[in-house]
Amino acid sequence: FKGIHAAMDYLGRMPEWMPKLVDSIAGKDIIVIGGGDTGNDCIGTSIRLGARSVTAFEILPEPLVERAADNPWPTWPKVFRVDYGHAEVRARDGVEPRKYCTTAKAFLGDDKGHVAAVHTVEVEWTKNEKGQFNMREIPGSDKYLPCQVCFL
């Protein structure tokens, strides 16, 4: 569908595309699939370009506020963080933009070939007898969110 973009293409070509980007983002519902610095940059940029809403899907559970016992120093701390893009959504819209334990199952389009919505489902993580993590979809957790632009 038109409106689904690779995040690095979007961010990397911003100076060249700026006039088109404002028109393509302003007033739209934006979905960002994935996190990290790139996802955060897409969130913050979308807010600044006037997106109606910005939602980011994180397939993993929300991190703990403090290190877990199995995440000792000097390993990278797997803890909850709020970066500038998240803070900007919180300040403007009063909501946390990240939806944890959520994955996209399908995109739905309009009659002109543009993305119009994302079908999502919540997931649950469990450990098997070997200590390996397994993901399963939670039955009945399907949602359909409006989306005119999606960044992967």
Side-chain angles (χ1 to χ4, degrees):
F1 293 110
K2 295 174 192 166
I4 300 173
H5 307 283
M8 289 305 295
D9 289 345
Y10 164 71
L11 294 170
R13 299 185 75 188
M14 219 185 312
E16 169 189 342
W17 289 359
M18 189 54 77
K20 290 182 194 173
L21 286 175
V22 174
D23 290 339
S24 69
I25 300 296
K28 306 273 176 52
D29 300 298
I30 311 300
I31 300 288
V32 178
I33 298 178
D37 291 341
T38 302
N40 181 62
D41 289 344
C42 287
I43 293 167
T45 301
S46 295
I47 280 290
R48 291 180 200 150
L49 292 176
R52 176 178 29 230
S53 68
V54 181
T55 304
F57 301 155
E58 299 271 356
I59 199 165
L60 296 173
E62 183 174 328
L64 301 172
V65 174
E66 295 184 11
R67 284 180 185 263
D70 64 350
N71 180 219
W73 184 90
T75 59
W76 179 257
K78 299 175 194 166
V79 295
F80 183 80
R81 292 179 175 81
V82 176
D83 212 330
Y84 73 91
H86 314 126
E88 289 178 31
V89 173
R90 288 171 163 205
R92 190 192 81 174
D93 299 341
V95 297
E96 168 60 49
R98 294 168 285 187
K99 304 296 179 212
Y100 291 96
C101 289
T102 299
T103 191
K105 291 200 51 113
F107 294 102
L108 293 87
D110 64 18
D111 58 358
K112 295 179 181 169
H114 291 88
V115 66
V118 179
H119 173 198
T120 69
V121 66
E122 293 177 22
V123 297
E124 174 181 63
W125 293 90
T126 57
K127 279 188 180 179
N128 65 19
E129 60 282 345
K130 295 179 183 177
Q132 299 165 320
F133 282 99
N134 294 310
M135 181 187 80
R136 77 167 188 89
E137 294 180 5
I138 298 174
S141 66
D142 298 73
K143 292 184 180 118
Y144 295 85
L145 300 176
C147 170
Q148 295 81 50
V149 178
C150 180
F151 295 110
L152 309 173

